[in-house]
Amino acid sequence: MTATSRRIVLRALVLWGGLALLLVLPPAAALADQPFYLTLVTRMLIFAIAALSLDLILGYGAMVSFGHAAYLGVGAYAVGILAYHGVNAAWIQWPVAIVASALVAALIGLVSLRTSGVYFIMITLAFAQMLYFLGISLKIYGGDDGLTINARTDFGGVIDLASNVVLYYLVLAVLLGFLLLGQRLIASRFGMVIRGAKSNERRMRALGFPTVRYRLVAFVIAGTMCGVAGVLLANLTNFTSPAYMHWTRSGELMVMVILGGMGSLIGPIFGAFALLALEEVLSSYTQHWQFILGPVLILIVLFAKRGIYGLLGAARESAAAGPPAAGPPHG
Amino acid sequence: MVIDPQLLAFQALNGLQLGVMLFLMAAGLTLVFGIMNLINLAHGSLYMVGAYFAATLQGWSGSFVLAALLAIPATLVLGVAVELVVLRTLYDRDHLDQVLATFGLILFFNEAVRIVWGPSALFMTTPDFLSGQVALPFGIIYPSYRFAIIAVGLAVALFLYGLISHTRVGMLIRAGASNRAMVGALGVDVKFLYTAVFALGTALAGIAGLMAGPILSVESGMGEPILILTFVVIVIGGIGSIRGAFMGALLIGVVDTLGRSFLPGLLRATFNPQVANAAGPALASMLIYILMALVLAFRPQGLFPARAA
Amino acid sequence: MTKFLVSAAAAAALGAAVAATPVAAQTVKIGFIATFSGPGGTIGTHLYDGFMLGIEHAGGKLGGLTPEVIKEDDQLKPDVGLQAAQKLLQRDKVNFISGVIFSNVMMAIYKPVIESQTFLISSNAGPSPIAGAQCSPYFFSTSWQNDDPHAAMGKHLQDKGIKRLYLMAPNYQAGKDALTGVKRMFKGEIVDEIYTTVNQPDYSAEIAALRAAKPEALYVFYPGGMGINFVKQYAQAGLVKALPLYSAFTTDSTTVDAQGDAAIGTFGTAFWTVDLKNPANQKFVADFRKKHNYEPSTYSAQAYDSAQLIDAALKATGGKLDNKDALRDALRKADFKSIRGPFKFNNNQFPIQSYYLYETVREDGKLRQLGRGTVLTDHADVYAKDCPMKW
């Protein structure tokens, strides 16, 4: 067995094993009478969705969005505001949330994509701050205090989200669906243009691709996916608050992407799990867990840019051409 | 709504005071940004540490002046250490790496001050000779301490102007901001220049932290709100430009203060009160970000870019 | 991911093993949520120290059970508080949740806590919805409904003959409740009513506007670090002598040392003062000063009573935690010697009690808040009538 093939086997084991564990988690948590871990992993999965969506533009398109948490807020507020007015039906909440986050992403993208480099980072941050302050000033929807949501999304009896287990499987299904979708997208001609524009925009333009339009579409898709993560987050916590849009939250999403390995889509899932787990484990030992997390982060940036997924030998240097390696077994 | 001219003058002074505070932060950040091409999110942490040093020293010695004399060098030393250990390795990295690593520094420093000084906030007192008020023409009575902040900020601005336009170091800084390769070609120890520039930026952040101490509570995380505003300032002013930082800082300080104090009232005069009460504060706090987005959308290099336009 | 899940599963198994041991029967688990960091962090310490002194005075046990107090910091962020509450309920499976300083945190955690049928003993926050229509048989307050300390000041200002009053508070649930409270009893002109961002550090713009409005008096509600910043900046602006400052929870022992002499001569209102003459209070104050070397605040006093309340109820049930109805009946009796003197619970399970005026003075070299007479006697909050609970 060569080293490469051993790696492939290892990776397959980790991915399939991880998926199997995720599938059996709810009954295991119930058996152990520890519903807390179900909530915790649901939270991880939701942030995995958000991180995955950010990777789509950050890892493949080199669009360093420092305001990605804004869509988390848009999705969550769509649920919160509709629920406040007594609208809990999924067939209203979900489309509204999706359209709202797509529209917001389109607006932000239209302006931001005119800039590049550090200016792009700053302008996405500025837009996220605007939405954050908008959230604070929505007095009837709780303003700074946030808004308690009385009931989870109502799927008309088909899916009963009141059960944490059902919510968990829904979140898992959305994550896997987005992962598949993301991989298809990256492997497609569209994805090729996005990746091409990252390494050499002028060449792609010369080849006749309207790169800005392609990048805008990618930006909107990523924002919308993150909006869905917001919908799920609001359902998990029964609460929405401007804090979901705080700039440190955007920073955390970026950390998840890098920690897991950017430009791999699967990596950020690992990143989300790792960061939240680290937070959970460290914070149970010391309240000063950020004192440890901060330097860990610096070390990762300096020495382990390929992230956790890279350790499994799977993440490619994102600049490399071609679709990410063979992909997960369910891909 | 009638705007009381006296109130307007007051708020303009408040805006000016916020503006010079932002300038103290922005000057350092924009130099580091322009010369080393480094996005340093941890600049706010240096401000915070400066304030903690000052508060502690004042607590021990009871003297604001002594605290100032010791806190600024202490902050500077810490900043240089951070530059040597972490930031130096980041100069050649892409912006994403810089953002993440310095984000890590923020987490580290916010927690470090909690470990050293405890979770509760510290408080500084205004020095006795500045605890009164200054009477200005037209019946305006303004707190002496805030007046002192304005004076310190303007003095620093003058100093930087002199330094940058009339000294050899300034020439190098100017050269570095517009053409980095050239500085190396001039046979200057670039590493040393970088450390020196960073030290200067840190000292300015330390001054800002010191001056903020008697007004605000000194606490973990106090650097972030001002950091975000500072970024707005340097992006609007034009990255790498001290003049841009100065103009941008005053613009943001005044727009933010006047927006907060008058926008809700102005809206109330034009729209029905319900709409105005809901939209006024929202618009006021979003104002500077809207301004920044507009500037970036139409003049991406900022209003006063360092590189010759 | 795999690795983590394995460790999570192991932790879960371990948790199950611990839960199965018989030790659980003799302990009472209390989740104590408060703000321990940031400018509100001092309040958390005052609250927690009061609560723990309450346990100590009960002989280190609560109703014969060994208390296990799990501290959680909400960082004055509702979403962080909510996450802490869920952890306490689902993982630690606490019997009580107590503490809770800020009303926005209370509103965020309220629903999940009472739906899990866990008793929530507020040591501070008393937002109006919980006192009224949304009242719950699982919620008790050993403090007050948010409006009332402020209503007391409204009454005092009305009696004093103040005509033009200016109001300021942070923009959150308790801030709105506070100004509603003042306006209920004060009938003169409200010059303006300003809500500032929670934890706003700089009030220069608001102070300038306030000066221009030329009111006769100012009423503010700025708890914790906000109060320190506000009073200092108010003094720097030279307004202390020109414009009398009235407040509640703004100048108290959590803030007064940082405010310094600027606070001397300012008035506030509260349900308790450090010099209240009853044996329970004298013991509390003396022992608190001895143990902690700082002045107890209303926060410490309230939390002390939270511990006493739990102790008294568990004594009545013989240490039984599982019969919630019996436990509730015992809690409702409030059969203990409160530091505020005798009081009883209203139908919404908030206290019916008196409120006092206090003045900040220098005594024994320390800045203290001393009582200056009763403003409201046996006062019940106005929301109780909206609460459908009857008992």
Side-chain angles (χ1 to χ4, degrees), chain C residues 92-391:
Chain C
D92 303 314
K93 302 195 168 59
V94 295
N95 308 105
F96 294 90
I97 286 186
S98 191
V100 193
I101 297 163
F102 289 92
S103 295
N104 48 356
V105 177
M106 178 60 87
M107 289 310 287
I109 70 165
Y110 181 63
K111 194 166 161 277
V113 176
I114 60 163
E115 275 179 0
S116 73
Q117 306 198 331
T118 306
F119 284 103
L120 178 55
I121 315 288
S122 173
S123 307
N124 192 62
S128 51
I130 294 178
Q134 294 178 37
C135 66
S136 158
Y138 287 96
F139 179 93
F140 283 84
S141 161
T142 58
S143 51
W144 20 259
Q145 197 283 316
N146 281 352
D147 296 17
D148 286 340
H150 312 281
M153 186 52 94
K155 171 92 168 27
H156 173 68
L157 293 174
Q158 179 69 20
D159 293 349
K160 227 175 127 45
I162 300 286
K163 295 280 180 286
R164 303 179 75 242
L165 185 63
Y166 197 95
L167 303 178
M168 290 177 74
N171 188 12
Y172 75 122
Q173 185 69 45
K176 291 164 215 163
D177 285 354
L179 299 194
T180 309
V182 181
K183 288 188 289 182
R184 181 167 305 121
M185 300 260 178
F186 177 76
K187 299 297 169 207
E189 184 196 347
I190 302 293
V191 181
D192 209 343
E193 189 178 336
I194 302 295
Y195 292 98
T196 52
T197 312
V198 176
N199 265 348
Q200 175 174 321
D202 191 355
Y203 298 90
S204 56
E206 288 79 8
I207 289 173
L210 156 72
R211 189 199 299 265
K214 300 190 175 65
E216 191 181 338
L218 168 67
Y219 181 79
V220 302
F221 165 59
Y222 281 124
M226 290 183 269
I228 298 176
N229 285 352
F230 181 82
V231 172
K232 272 165 71 181
Q233 292 168 20
Y234 192 70
Q236 283 169 7
L239 283 172
V240 171
K241 295 226 163 51
L243 181 56
L245 173 66
Y246 297 89
S247 66
F249 306 104
T250 305
T251 294
D252 58 23
S253 79
T254 64
T255 57
V256 75
D257 289 330
Q259 290 168 349
D261 290 351
I264 291 179
T266 61
F267 287 91
T269 37
F271 81 106
W272 167 91
T273 58
V274 76
D275 56 345
L276 265 190
K277 294 215 173 12
N278 67 66
N281 188 46
Q282 282 156 343
K283 177 172 185 235
F284 162 70
V285 172
D287 284 1
F288 194 98
R289 280 180 185 156
K290 209 183 309 164
K291 185 163 172 141
H292 294 297
N293 199 27
Y294 67 83
E295 268 311 269
S297 58
T298 50
Y299 305 104
S300 327
Q302 292 150 198
Y304 180 82
D305 268 7
S306 297
Q308 289 207 79
L309 173 66
I310 296 173
D311 177 53
L314 286 177
K315 270 186 186 138
T317 65
K320 286 207 178 56
L321 291 156
D322 38 2
N323 186 342
K324 309 260 172 157
D325 291 331
L327 190 52
R328 180 179 316 109
D329 287 341
L331 286 165
R332 282 174 173 171
K333 291 201 179 73
D335 187 16
F336 63 93
K337 297 263 179 294
S338 168
I339 43 77
R340 74 200 84 191
F343 82 101
K344 59 179 186 159
F345 280 120
N346 206 344
N347 68 313
N348 59 357
Q349 300 175 176
F350 276 80
I352 299 176
Q353 60 193 348
S354 301
Y355 291 86
Y356 310 95
L357 183 73
Y358 64 77
E359 184 183 2
T360 299
V361 296
R362 197 174 276 286
E363 187 196 64
D364 301 342
K366 295 198 176 79
L367 292 168
R368 284 183 179 155
Q369 285 74 42
L370 299 186
R372 290 290 181 259
T374 311
V375 185
L376 293 171
T377 308
D378 293 339
H379 180 75
D381 66 81
V382 297
Y383 301 99
K385 64 177 182 338
D386 304 327
C387 168
M389 246 184 331
K390 296 281 177 279
W391 46 278

Side-chain angles (χ1 to χ4, degrees), chain C residues 11-27:
Chain C
L14 197 72
V18 170
T21 53
V23 181
Q26 280 131 32
T27 61

